[in-house]
Amino acid sequence: MYKSFFGLKENPFNVNPDPRYLFLTKQIEEALSGLMYGVQTRKGFITLTGEVGTGKTTLVNRLLDWLHLRRTKTAFLFNSRMNSNQLFDFILAEFDIPCDNRSKSQQLMKLNQWLLERYRAGETAVLIVDEAQNLTFPVLEEIRLLTNLETSTEKLLQIVLSGQPELEDKLKLPQLRQLRQRITLRCRTMPMTKDQTHDYIQERLRIAGAAPQSGIFSPKAMDTVHLYSMGIPRVINLLCEHALINSFVDQTPVIEPKVIEDVAREFQLDEVEPIAPPASARQDGDVFQSEAFIQNLGEALSRFRMSPSVPSSRERK
Ligand SMILES: Nc1ncnc2c1ncn2[C@@H]1O[C@H](COP(=O)(O)OP(=O)(O)O)[C@@H](O)[C@H]1O
Ligand SMILES: [Mg+2]
């Protein structure tokens, strides 16, 4: 509804992980080239971790686009709440491998056979699991066994596990030692710096059709977006989207800090707590798609609050 008012062709701050909108910061570029390099050189087992909303799924979607262009076979599992049987069912279905038998050993044999054929044909096969912090120990153990599928020199299946920092913590547990030892490459997504937040907002506006340097958001307003979002793209989108709506309602063509502050207050970003507030104390809004989302967001933000210098090389203990 606000599009024509701001001279836009589409909605610039959609929360979908649309790879067309991928904004390449130095960190994102590093993570993307790490993933591409890892898969291409058959590194075997790669992790991608980062706080909720920092762009992992968007990045994975860009990787998938790139892999599809290269006719690489991919299996993308985005529902990580599965048991071991489902894991094999999903993998075979995603790779389009016919198998009538539901016994795990038969499925594994089929998969191995198919991977060898791909390998002989000079093709790479990649398994990507998103939200991998939710994988259970038995499923992670099965994934470890998949990393054993190899020729004498190379891994047959490239595996990318993408997830929140809890994934790294999980992989540090003694019972997952063997899996951890197989990780050959670790990639990360990070919150944006203030300058990156400015560029990110401008770039999304540009892709959505705004005139160059359109000035829809004043520089101070973008500073305010960075302050409340702590550089987390998902929160930047949320603030900017609602700022556009509110400014359209008020018919103000240039967005100033006050508008952002109001939205932040509306979504209680000015007082985020480690635990999500009870539903009754919250405003309903379709942007908070699930209980888990707001809880994760709250936790992520509170962690950043506690250590404002977080970004660059933070290693979680
Ligand atoms: N580098 C980026 N470029 C463009 N949009 C991004 C970027 N990182 C995140 N986003 C946007 O932020 C939102 C959350 O990103 P998402 O990939 O879902 O994060 P995660 O999977 O880490 O929780 C999405 O709307 C996505 O489009
Ligand atoms: Mg995601």
Side-chain angles (χ1 to χ4, degrees):
M1 53 171 179
Y2 57 68
K3 284 184 286 197
S4 61
F5 180 69
F6 290 108
L8 299 165
K9 292 195 190 66
E10 48 188 275
N11 180 340
F13 299 104
N14 208 316
V15 288
N16 296 334
D18 182 345
R20 275 188 316 129
Y21 275 88
L22 186 67
F23 174 67
L24 291 171
T25 60
K26 187 165 157 286
Q27 296 88 336
I28 294 281
E29 209 157 350
E30 264 173 31
L32 183 61
S33 49
L35 290 168
M36 289 169 167
Y37 167 82
V39 167
Q40 210 166 16
T41 55
R42 295 178 176 270
K43 285 287 174 199
F45 189 35
I46 308 169
T47 57
L48 169 66
T49 50
E51 297 289 355
V52 65
T54 50
K56 299 178 297 294
T57 303
T58 313
L59 201 56
V60 160
N61 282 337
R62 173 59 77 91
L63 178 70
L64 283 167
D65 282 355
W66 182 79
L67 291 171
H68 292 156
L69 278 175
R70 305 172 68 87
R71 300 192 183 285
T72 305
K73 303 280 188 248
T74 59
F76 179 40
L77 310 188
F78 50 85
N79 175 12
S80 53
R81 294 187 192 277
M82 59 184 137
N83 60 36
S84 318
N85 290 332
Q86 290 165 329
L87 172 75
F88 284 99
D89 290 346
F90 284 142
I91 293 177
L92 292 185
E94 277 284 296
F95 280 136
D96 236 345
I97 305 172
C99 184
D100 302 330
N101 203 314
R102 299 236 18 233
S103 95
K104 220 189 290 174
S105 58
Q106 284 295 320
Q107 288 182 320
L108 197 57
M109 232 158 68
K110 275 270 180 202
L111 177 64
N112 196 24
Q113 218 167 41
W114 181 85
L115 287 170
L116 269 172
E117 284 163 21
R118 302 280 68 74
Y119 180 73
R120 291 199 190 103
E123 295 171 5
T124 312
V126 189
L127 165 67
I128 302 177
V129 186
D130 203 5
E131 301 292 348
Q133 76 281 350
N134 295 330
L135 294 171
T136 60
F137 290 124
V139 172
L140 284 165
E141 179 59 11
E142 297 290 353
I143 290 179
R144 179 180 73 81
L145 295 176
L146 289 176
T147 66
N148 286 344
L149 301 176
E150 57 195 352
T151 66
S152 55
T153 54
E154 286 187 290
K155 297 288 176 201
L156 289 177
L157 179 63
Q158 311 311 308
I159 301 173
V160 178
L161 295 189
S162 164
Q164 290 165 28
E166 290 82 328
L167 173 65
E168 281 181 39
D169 296 343
K170 210 171 202 175
L171 292 172
K172 280 181 191 146
L173 295 172
Q175 56 269 54
L176 292 172
R177 195 183 70 243
Q178 295 203 58
L179 182 62
R180 182 173 70 247
Q181 287 167 349
R182 285 173 165 75
I183 304 173
T184 43
L185 198 61
R186 292 180 168 82
C187 305
R188 288 193 176 83
T189 53
M190 305 276 177
M192 302 206 173
T193 62
K194 200 202 274 187
D195 286 347
Q196 288 169 341
T197 300
H198 279 235
D199 294 345
Y200 172 85
I201 294 172
Q202 299 288 14
E203 179 63 5
R204 287 194 87 105
L205 289 167
R206 187 191 64 75
I207 298 172
Q213 302 300 316
S214 62
I216 297 175
F217 288 81
S218 77
K220 283 222 163 64
M222 290 191 276
D223 286 351
T224 313
V225 170
H226 182 257
L227 178 78
Y228 285 107
S229 65
M230 290 161 201
I232 297 179
R234 181 173 290 166
V235 187
I236 299 177
N237 285 12
L238 175 105
L239 288 168
C240 291
E241 163 77 1
H242 284 264
L244 286 174
I245 297 170
N246 294 357
S247 295
F248 166 69
V249 171
D250 296 341
Q251 295 286 295
T252 357
V254 176
I255 296 168
E256 295 295 347
K258 166 89 173 53
V259 182
I260 309 293
E261 282 158 12
D262 289 348
V263 177
R265 203 165 309 118
E266 192 183 329
F267 286 102
Q268 300 175 355
L269 292 180
D270 56 339
E271 47 180 284
V272 174
E273 291 169 34
I275 307 290
S280 55
R282 247 184 16 233
Q283 285 205 311
D284 275 332
D286 54 2
V287 277
F288 290 142
Q289 287 144 345
S290 68
E291 199 69 24
F293 169 55
I294 192 164
Q295 198 143 3
N296 287 335
L297 179 64
E299 280 167 9
L301 289 173
S302 69
R303 271 186 240 130
F304 290 126
R305 276 275 153 89
M306 285 186 284
S307 48
S309 59
V310 188
S312 50
S313 61
R314 188 168 61 114
E315 274 285 340
R316 287 171 57 90
K317 299 274 146 46

